[in-house]
Amino acid sequence: MVTKQETDSRKLLGRLREVMAEDSGGQTRLDQITQLIADEMHSDVCSIYLFRDEDTLELCATQGLNPEAVHETRMRLGEGLVGSVARKGTIVNTDDAPNTRGFRYMPETGEEAYSSFLGVPVQRLGEMLGVLVVQSKDARTYSEDEVYATEVVAMVLAEMTELGAFVGEGAALSARHQQPVLFQGSTGQEGASRGHVWLHEPRVVVTNPFADDPERELDRLHEAVEELRVGVDKMLSRAKGGDKEHLQVLEAYRMFANSKGWMRRMEEDIARGLSAEAAVEKEQTAASSRMGQVTDAYLRERLHDLDDLSNRLLRILTGQGTETGAEMPADPILVARNIGPAELLDYGRSLKGIVLEEGSVGSHAAIIARALAIPLVIHAKRVTSEALNGDFVLVDGDQGVVHLRPDDTVISAFRDKMAMQAQAQERYASIRDKPAVTLDGSQIELHMNAGLMADLPSLDGSGAEGVGLFRTELQFLVRNKLPKRAELSELYARVMDAAHGKRVVFRTLDIGSDKVLPYMKPNDEPNPAMGWRAIRVGLDKPGVMRMQLQALLRAAQGRPLTVMFPFVAQMEEYAAARREMDKAIERERILGHPLPETLELGAMLETPSLAYAPDKFFEDVGFLSIGGNDLKQFFFAADRENERVRKRYDTLNVSFLSFLERIVERCKATHTPLSFCGEDAGRPVEAACFAAIGLRTMSMRPASVGPVKSILRRTDLSELRGIIHEARARGDQTVRPVVLEYLRGKL
Ligand code: PEP
Ligand code: MG
């Protein structure tokens, strides 16, 4: 049924469309809109306020207020009734404005003469663009339908503003996406880079907010929603048996896709004169603004889901998929809310930087970004709403800062920073083929960590002597089904080929904890980092481990092979893993396959317990590698993924260093080769200290090899050892200050 209000707002939108269709300049257009709304709503005043900068609103057009005040009257965010609408993102509807809390008298506008006030936020997808105000002399509260009509106009206004329809003096808004914005996020991967924005999922542009034919728009909406539902059902059936959280999200999607309330609201919007896509967007905007007010994490997530679903629906309706026809810039900086590891791998090394609104340091995307050595900033709030495809952007992965559309001073400061990095890189390149020998003549072996085929070229570039840790789980994480033995064997063979005879330490699958395979049944564990992970899974369900060991043996094709087991907490676990290897070798022998020329088997020392294993273990194990990331988290009982507690405990804390020194001594006494392959090995100050307490082999990100080698070559380990011992004797909590003092000038 079409009600009177629906025909009224349709009439209003019809006239608005005529104004939009006219070939008038920005200001004229704004003026026409205010006049039209004042007329249609039988009100004395209609004004449009738009943001001049982040916290200043400017009167950009008015019908009824003093025309001289246009572009003169400004107010700060939160100031007066208009400012309060903008700050809260909620409507103010009062019949007695002068006596309403927050009212501010502005003599230049002659505003005190108006009693009723209706202020509606002009916003798009939670982004506040301005305020649309309607005022009358008589004391009346605007009806629900009048409020609705104003909201619809505000939405069309937002859409037009975004499209830059008001270019000109009144276009505070279209200028908004030209202004510099700084995002303070967190570091995902160090490094600085510059380039142009490439939106992973560019937002859909709704070019026609008006309905020519409501019946047709309704049909379009229904068809699109049907397509959406089918799509969600397909995703659900594909995900069955997979990750529980993923399933939960999809279930929520399905619930929304079938929500009658959502559908009804969109149908009403269409009946009132909006196009199908504008109706979707209106409800999406309403949900986005609720999102800002909801504190409950679960509810926020659900609103997020609705947002995602609306985007999908918009893509169906507008035919603007990921394929928008835009051309990827030559120096793309990927901007996304979040991204999966497989999608990131698709982009590969073509990316110069990555900026995510969400993400976490331990996420798979971060692991890949690190593997590809692409600067990554995470938690850059609102970046996807601020950035436009092609915007110039600077990414400072060291500080976790992003400069979008930076001004010249920032660009030149950044250029200096990049030049310094380039200089340092040159310096590192000049020592690439030189050994990491300290001033007192100790030789340190520097290896690199890897996990993807794409890492291997860094072996030559970085000057690393081998791959000290090859995290095999990355290959499992980036697929959507369990890889086959033949696939793995081929991949490992290619890794060995690319290493050209340099040693590669393959670590068997370390899954569980934060690394959950999408195709494996998830385990609901209260504390997954200390749960069923790595070797524990491998020994309890040996199928995958056997397959992997066989793939490794076959990949070696008679070449030397090195394999290491992760997360060994007690002697027997290593012994059991070794028995698996013995069996695998025996099988290969029976099958007549060539066996590796030599086989080194080792264990990762990632739990304090292993440091106190019987001597027999140290004598039996082929080599040990300290997984400092895990070892430190269990030593201090501080979650490595929890920034708050992780930063609390310094790696150079005397207790931890003494503990590491104890491990070094035990390995020396038992002639057990020892290395360190956690992230700390790649930090020059930490690496120098590790060398000072006796570590002679370290494995790190390829980009760290140069900086670590550089500092080692300028360090006298006996002096540094003396400094560490003095600090310990003095009772210092951490040796960092004195070590920094010593190394100053050497960095
Ligand atoms: C470690 O724990 O230090 C380690 C190298 O393993 P991962 O970071 O893969 O857990
Ligand atoms: Mg570990």
Side-chain angles (χ1 to χ4, degrees):
M1 195 186 76
V2 178
T3 63
K4 179 175 174 306
Q5 288 85 13
E6 284 170 6
T7 39
D8 277 355
S9 50
R10 222 155 62 209
K11 213 169 100 213
L12 177 78
L13 284 184
R15 287 196 54 199
L16 192 59
R17 174 167 42 179
E18 282 161 26
V19 169
M20 291 306 188
E22 276 173 32
D23 191 17
S24 46
Q27 185 64 49
T28 318
R29 203 171 257 191
L30 281 182
D31 292 343
Q32 285 168 326
I33 293 174
T34 51
Q35 170 149 29
L36 180 148
I37 297 168
D39 286 357
E40 288 292 322
M41 300 208 22
H42 311 291
S43 289
D44 303 305
V45 174
C46 174
S47 313
I48 296 170
Y49 297 83
L50 295 176
F51 275 97
R52 172 53 71 188
D53 57 46
E54 228 171 66
D55 46 22
T56 317
L57 284 152
E58 181 178 304
L59 176 66
C60 286
T62 185
Q63 172 66 33
L65 294 186
N66 179 3
E68 307 259 295
V70 172
H71 297 308
E72 293 301 325
T73 294
R74 291 188 184 174
M75 61 202 62
R76 298 185 67 73
L77 187 63
E79 187 185 356
L81 292 182
V82 174
S84 138
V85 172
R87 191 175 60 194
K88 295 191 188 134
T90 50
I91 292 168
V92 171
N93 183 7
T94 169
D95 60 355
D96 184 9
N99 288 312
T100 300
R101 204 163 156 233
F103 178 80
R104 186 179 149 255
Y105 173 53
M106 278 181 284
E108 69 273 25
T109 63
E111 194 170 35
E112 82 280 21
Y114 302 100
S115 182
S116 40
F117 174 101
L118 169 63
V120 173
V122 176
Q123 57 185 330
R124 188 181 183 275
L125 305 184
E127 182 182 4
M128 196 54 63
L129 307 172
V131 180
L132 174 64
V133 175
V134 184
Q135 290 170 284
S136 268
K137 284 196 181 113
D138 51 336
R140 64 166 160 141
T141 312
Y142 287 92
S143 71
E144 216 177 278
D145 294 296
E146 285 172 316
V147 172
Y148 183 89
T150 319
E151 270 187 300
V152 169
V153 173
M155 183 209 139
V156 173
L157 211 52
E159 197 66 57
M160 293 294 139
T161 318
E162 282 271 299
L163 288 174
F166 305 128
V167 181
E169 267 219 299
L173 235 290
S174 56
R176 183 191 168 97
H177 276 121
Q178 290 162 20
Q179 282 168 3
V181 192
L182 178 127
F183 299 91
Q184 177 64 66
S186 325
T187 299
Q189 155 71 20
E190 289 90 354
S193 66
R194 49 186 280 154
H196 292 87
V197 169
W198 177 250
L199 290 166
H200 178 52
E201 289 199 322
R203 53 183 133 160
V204 175
V205 182
V206 177
T207 46
N208 178 20
F210 310 108
D212 291 318
D213 172 0
E215 294 301 324
R216 202 178 137 255
E217 294 304 304
L218 278 178
D219 286 348
R220 289 183 61 226
L221 178 71
H222 292 149
E223 274 167 29
V225 169
E226 194 44 44
E227 194 176 327
L228 177 78
R229 284 179 189 155
V230 172
V232 172
D233 284 347
K234 264 197 202 139
M235 284 195 281
L236 252 172
S237 61
R238 270 203 303 271
K240 281 266 152 59
D243 175 53
K244 206 162 112 204
E245 268 184 34
H246 186 201
L247 266 178
Q248 275 171 355
V249 169
L250 290 175
E251 291 286 1
Y253 273 26
R254 180 156 69 180
M255 195 185 78
F256 280 123
N258 289 298
S259 154
K260 291 209 172 61
W262 186 44
M263 198 67 196
R264 196 191 57 243
R265 283 193 301 277
M266 291 190 292
E267 285 169 351
E268 281 169 10
D269 294 329
I270 290 176
R272 289 175 138 120
L274 290 188
S275 64
E277 38 274 64
V280 175
E281 203 182 278
K282 182 170 181 298
E283 295 316 316
Q284 189 181 15
T285 296
S288 294
S289 76
R290 279 204 296 281
M291 201 139 66
Q293 288 150 23
V294 170
T295 46
D296 179 83
Y298 178 79
L299 258 181
R300 278 177 65 86
E301 269 311 306
R302 295 293 74 83
L303 285 170
H304 241 134
D305 295 344
L306 183 59
D307 197 47
D308 256 0
L309 212 59
S310 306
N311 279 332
R312 277 169 200 270
L313 195 52
L314 280 175
R315 275 188 225 121
I316 297 174
L317 278 166
T318 57
Q320 299 171 26
T322 318
E323 242 348 284
T324 50
E327 202 173 312
M328 185 145 103
D331 50 2
I333 304 278
L334 184 95
V335 173
R337 207 164 85 196
N338 215 340
I339 189 165
E343 290 168 306
L344 197 51
L345 275 176
D346 278 347
Y347 284 107
R349 286 186 197 275
S350 64
L351 299 176
K352 294 279 169 278
I354 305 165
V355 183
L356 300 180
E357 250 174 49
E358 299 171 359
S360 82
V361 182
S363 74
H364 303 151
I367 293 175
I368 306 278
R370 235 168 279 152
L372 298 175
I374 302 172
L376 163 69
V377 171
I378 55 173
H379 301 160
K381 283 205 189 103
R382 298 191 48 72
V383 69
T384 57
S385 2
E386 294 286 350
L388 296 179
N389 257 343
D391 277 348
F392 183 59
V393 62
L394 303 172
V395 179
D396 182 346
D398 302 328
Q399 307 292 330
V401 168
V402 177
H403 303 273
L404 182 67
R405 301 180 289 265
D407 55 30
D408 289 348
T409 33
V410 174
I411 295 177
S412 81
F414 205 81
R415 197 176 295 129
D416 293 347
K417 183 185 166 89
M418 285 186 74
M420 269 169 61
Q421 284 197 352
Q423 251 174 23
Q425 286 307 329
E426 261 172 43
R427 213 173 54 232
Y428 304 144
S430 71
I431 55 168
R432 191 184 54 203
D433 300 321
K434 301 205 168 124
V437 180
T438 59
L439 290 180
D440 54 319
S442 306
Q443 176 130 11
I444 316 292
E445 271 187 46
L446 303 182
H447 296 249
M448 65 170 238
N449 294 348
L452 301 166
M453 199 54 219
D455 295 329
L456 270 297
S458 306
L459 196 48
D460 285 339
S462 64
E465 294 179 52
V467 176
L469 165 67
F470 190 90
R471 290 181 163 104
T472 59
E473 62 275 7
L474 291 196
Q475 289 304 325
F476 287 71
L477 282 168
V478 297
R479 281 161 210 245
N480 49 20
K481 59 180 198 311
L482 193 69
K484 298 207 167 66
R485 186 183 53 207
E487 272 178 86
L488 284 182
S489 160
E490 193 210 336
L491 175 99
Y492 300 150
R494 280 200 288 136
V495 170
M496 288 184 221
D497 293 346
H500 300 300
K502 285 183 176 171
R503 181 174 181 252
V504 179
V505 181
F506 288 96
R507 173 175 81 180
T508 61
L509 205 53
D510 181 3
I511 47 158
S513 186
D514 68 315
K515 301 172 199 155
V516 182
L517 301 183
Y519 42 86
M520 277 199 173
K521 226 163 101 204
N523 270 292
D524 243 341
E525 291 185 299
N527 198 340
M530 294 200 271
W532 198 53
R533 56 175 285 201
I535 188 109
R536 300 172 183 177
V537 181
L539 293 176
D540 291 356
K541 294 246 181 258
V544 177
M545 181 153 114
R546 284 178 188 153
M547 186 260 282
Q548 198 182 18
L549 294 180
Q550 219 161 33
L552 284 164
L553 289 170
R554 289 187 187 174
Q557 289 154 2
R559 292 176 280 192
L561 176 66
T562 312
V563 178
M564 157 166 94
F565 299 105
F567 215 65
V568 174
Q570 57 182 7
M571 184 165 76
E572 174 51 25
E573 284 166 341
Y574 173 73
R578 196 176 149 164
R579 283 196 294 275
E580 285 296 340
M581 183 55 120
D582 290 343
K583 276 193 247 167
I585 292 177
E586 194 46 35
R587 262 195 305 272
E588 290 303 286
R589 194 194 310 279
I590 292 168
L591 288 170
H593 292 157
L595 296 176
E597 183 189 336
T598 55
L599 176 66
E600 282 183 88
L601 277 191
M604 285 192 73
L605 197 157
E606 305 186 88
T607 60
S609 62
L610 203 65
Y612 298 98
D615 277 346
K616 182 174 172 356
F617 166 72
F618 284 79
E619 283 152 13
D620 284 353
V621 74
F623 64 92
L624 280 174
S625 189
I626 298 175
N629 308 335
D630 276 315
L631 187 62
K632 189 180 158 197
Q633 88 166 332
F634 296 118
F635 186 78
F636 288 110
D639 187 348
R640 64 191 261 192
E641 300 299 334
N642 181 341
E643 292 297 297
R644 194 183 236 171
V645 296
R646 186 184 70 81
K647 286 199 184 132
R648 233 179 145 90
Y649 306 101
D650 192 350
T651 303
L652 300 186
N653 176 300
V654 167
S655 316
F656 192 53
L657 275 188
S658 303
F659 178 56
L660 293 179
E661 210 172 3
R662 173 91 188 101
I663 299 170
V664 172
E665 280 160 10
R666 288 204 72 187
C667 285
K668 253 193 207 143
T670 50
H671 306 288
T672 312
L674 175 68
S675 67
F676 188 110
C677 66
E679 298 298 310
D680 282 322
R683 302 192 170 101
V685 178
E686 279 80 342
C689 292
F690 294 164
I693 60 167
L695 271 152
R696 289 294 171 268
T697 307
M698 293 180 232
S699 190
M700 60 203 68
R701 290 186 296 126
S704 295
V705 174
V708 168
K709 191 190 284 185
S710 168
I711 200 146
L712 287 174
R713 287 173 59 86
R714 283 175 286 160
T715 302
D716 183 317
L717 291 186
S718 52
E719 271 175 35
L720 188 55
R721 193 164 38 246
I723 285 166
I724 293 173
H725 287 171
E726 271 169 31
R728 180 158 49 196
R730 227 181 4 251
D732 292 0
Q733 176 160 285
T734 164
V735 303
R736 190 174 296 275
V738 283
V739 170
L740 278 180
E741 182 67 33
Y742 169 74
L743 293 175
R744 194 152 298 175
K746 292 179 187 287
L747 282 171

